[in-house]
Amino acid sequence: GAVVSQHPSRVICKSGTSVKIECRSLDFQATTMFWYRQFPKQSLMLMATSNEGSKATYEQGVEKDKFLINHASLTLSTLTVTSAHPEDSSFYICSARDLTGGLSYEQYFGPGTRLTVT
Amino acid sequence: DAKTTQPPSMDCAEGRAANLPCNHSTISGNEYVYWYRQIHSQGPQYIIHGLKNNETNEMASLIITEDRKSSTLILPHATLRDTAVYYCIARSGGSRLTFGEGTQLTVNP
């Protein structure tokens, strides 16, 4: 089956620093990748949709200058949390859509990255 | 995408079938019903999806009512490792997945 990886799986950073999270589709090409955020005991919230070669589309309320998304190739998207603050501590999950999907367009999820800002 | 409604929690005995309901009364004709699950502190895992017909794979069965206003995910022989939050999502092809609150399934020994 399709595999999506994320790196790092866990990161701790100091307040004010920036953190980059990578999302890779390992055995398929993905024109579209999605970034979600999940706070404890809550559901996943879509942050942005990342299209290869074009600017990401952010959901309402998500600051595009704070959460920088780059999708430079069909297998890699990165999310950079700039000037991180403790309230940015969360579980960040990426998802990639299989380029070959027909009408159903399956999405495959990465294992998530736990960010803790101290 | 159509809104879905699921019970917040369910319990099931190990080895028994787990039947997870989902209401999607406003689903439109081109929207599929998808099921994902999320085990604690992991990314969501795809389970199954369907449009009109019942579907079965190695993980589960999906029963969709004839009017498509509700569906049931069936795990035929639940194990402790099936304890997770199960999400039912209605979406049309190409749209992004948005998650509701899901059902916390707890499989008890």
Side-chain angles (χ1 to χ4, degrees):
Chain A
V3 178
V4 176
S5 71
Q6 281 185 243
H7 178 79
S9 58
R10 196 177 280 271
V11 58
I12 301 172
C13 71
K14 290 188 187 301
S15 188
T17 62
S18 295
V19 174
K20 181 186 283 188
I21 302 170
E22 290 186 350
C23 175
R24 293 181 186 272
S25 57
L26 296 186
D27 50 3
F28 67 99
Q29 292 184 321
T31 52
T32 306
M33 289 184 173
F34 306 86
W35 287 95
Y36 295 80
R37 179 169 54 180
Q38 186 175 33
F39 293 109
K41 297 193 187 302
Q42 294 186 23
S43 187
L44 287 81
M45 275 181 29
L46 181 65
M47 299 175 67
T49 301
S50 162
N51 292 298
E52 185 261 340
S54 63
K55 288 185 180 180
T57 302
Y58 291 81
E59 295 298 304
Q60 193 172 7
V62 177
E63 300 174 58
K64 63 179 181 180
D65 294 330
K66 180 168 183 61
F67 299 99
L68 302 179
I69 292 172
N70 183 278
H71 190 165
S73 78
L74 285 173
T75 59
L76 173 65
S77 176
T78 60
L79 168 68
T80 302
V81 183
T82 63
S83 187
H85 292 286
E87 57 265 30
D88 298 322
S89 298
S90 188
F91 192 49
Y92 291 86
I93 306 167
C94 75
S95 169
R97 191 156 67 196
D98 189 341
L99 181 67
T100 63
L103 288 177
S104 52
Y105 290 93
E106 281 91 352
Q107 270 180 236
Y108 302 96
F109 286 82
T113 295
R114 175 79 56 193
L115 170 63
T116 303
V117 184
T118 60
Chain B
D1 296 332
K3 180 177 165 55
T4 61
T5 304
Q6 299 176 253
S9 64
M10 292 184 66
D11 282 88
C12 175
E14 189 178 18
R16 305 298 290 269
N19 297 288
L20 292 94
C22 178
N23 285 320
H24 30 79
S25 57
T26 61
I27 196 168
S28 60
N30 65 341
E31 287 183 310
Y32 288 75
V33 179
Y34 275 79
W35 284 83
Y36 283 79
R37 73 180 182 184
Q38 186 179 27
I39 295 170
H40 183 63
S41 291
Q42 296 183 23
Q45 177 188 23
Y46 166 81
I47 301 173
I48 200 168
H49 74 278
L51 183 63
K52 283 193 261 192
N53 299 323
N54 298 337
E55 303 287 345
T56 295
N57 63 20
E58 64 278 4
M59 287 183 69
S61 295
L62 173 60
I63 309 297
I64 303 174
T65 58
E66 196 168 336
D67 63 8
R68 301 211 324 122
K69 293 185 176 182
S70 65
S71 60
T72 301
L73 178 75
I74 301 173
L75 308 178
H77 306 287
T79 70
L80 299 179
R81 289 187 295 181
D82 292 322
T83 292
V85 179
Y86 287 77
Y87 296 98
C88 168
I89 301 168
R91 68 186 273 245
S92 55
S95 70
R96 67 252 199 281
L97 285 169
T98 52
F99 289 79
E101 298 305 313
T103 296
Q104 170 67 61
L105 174 69
T106 302
V107 181
N108 300 304

